[in-house]
Amino acid sequence: MGMLTEERQQVELLAKKIRRDTLFAIKKMGQGHLGGSLSIVELLAVLYGKQMTINPKQPLWENRDRLVLSKGHAGAALYSALANTGFFDRELLETLNEGGTSLPSHPDRNKTPGIDATTGSLGQGTSMAAGIATGLRLSQSENYVYLIVGDGELNEGQCWEAFQYIAHAKLTHCIVIIDENKKQLDGTTEEILTPFDLAEKMKAFGFYVSKAKGADLLAIDQAIQQSKEIEDQAVCIILDSIKGQGIPYFEELADNHSVKFNSEEVNQAAERALAELEREIKEMEE
Ligand SMILES: Cc1ncc(C[n+]2csc(CCOP(=O)(O)OP(=O)(O)O)c2C)c(N)n1
Ligand SMILES: [Mg+2]
């Protein structure tokens, strides 16, 4: 089943809100992981706006789907998704990474409603997701675990150990999503540690692999839907995304991993983008 028109509009609106709030929160903080946060905005909108079974009023509800943001530095995007789906007040986003906040820049499951795994040390979330999926299976749960991994993060050997186990155990309810935005901290994945063909690699590891453009809500939704229908093989979705996705200035900014809001040019670009997103959101809400 695809997305109905109204559903699609809701998810599109959610994506715009996540993008706006992610940029807002990171700008307010003065510096942060903008590029890798923006590349998963549409993915998060499809997950939280449609695909995930969640209960924002009961974040620890036993029958919820789980999400492990293994690339924890993109926490701002996840917080924006949670705030806009009712897990906590949007105003909290203004406190991103401030002393005493419940929104540290990297997710902490003991601090924030809706966060299922504490991440930020790259690689580790892959094993956590494998463990959670194993636990769910042992308790005969039908719930899913969504694992979001960065393409640079795949430099960590731990990812491949976890993938090998997920495929071996046929953890069909652990949906592995690789955010292939082709860049890592200080350069392209190609120049730092060539990933070769990730789809072929994951297939060789035993996964059923599908691909979706990172900004294509319908394609992402379809890939997830299709993954849920696979019953005898581990599943992986490769998100063909753009670091800085959805805001041309930040897509084109070469060094867009951690962006500092300390120049007029960057601040003006951010303010223009925020105003534009605000206008689009208003229009859609009318
Ligand atoms: C174990 C570990 N080593 C180094 C870092 C620092 N670090 C944070 S983000 C990042 C780059 C990750 O690249 P990628 O996974 O491609 O992230 P994205 O492009 O999605 O931002 C690095 C090296 C870390 N968080 N954890
Ligand atoms: Mg990357």
Side-chain angles (χ1 to χ4, degrees), residues 35-36 39 71 73 149-153 179-185 187-189 241 243 257:
S39 61
K71 39 170 274 184
H73 57 280
V149 200
D151 51 359
E153 181 175 8
D179 180 20
E180 192 177 20
N181 58 23
K182 294 126 205 126
K183 286 168 95 174
Q184 51 195 90
L185 188 148
T188 64
T189 51
S241 65
K243 205 148 170 165
H257 179 71

Side-chain angles (χ1 to χ4, degrees), residues 136-154:
L136 288 172
R137 175 184 281 177
L138 288 171
S139 53
Q140 284 163 2
S141 162
E142 286 298 309
N143 288 112
Y144 287 89
V145 188
Y146 294 93
L147 166 63
I148 306 178
V149 200
D151 51 359
E153 181 175 8
L154 296 178

Side-chain angles (χ1 to χ4, degrees), residues 66 68 70 109 116-117 123-141 143-147 158-159 161-167 169-176:
R66 274 74 166 171
V68 179
S70 194
R109 67 191 282 267
D116 294 314
Q124 298 184 358
T126 57
S127 306
M128 290 181 210
I132 296 168
T134 305
L136 288 172
R137 175 184 281 177
L138 288 171
S139 53
Q140 284 163 2
S141 162
N143 288 112
Y144 287 89
V145 188
Y146 294 93
L147 166 63
Q158 180 168 1
C159 301
E161 295 186 32
F163 293 161
Q164 193 160 285
Y165 167 70
I166 291 166
K170 297 191 168 71
L171 292 176
T172 53
H173 280 216
C174 181
I175 300 187
V176 178

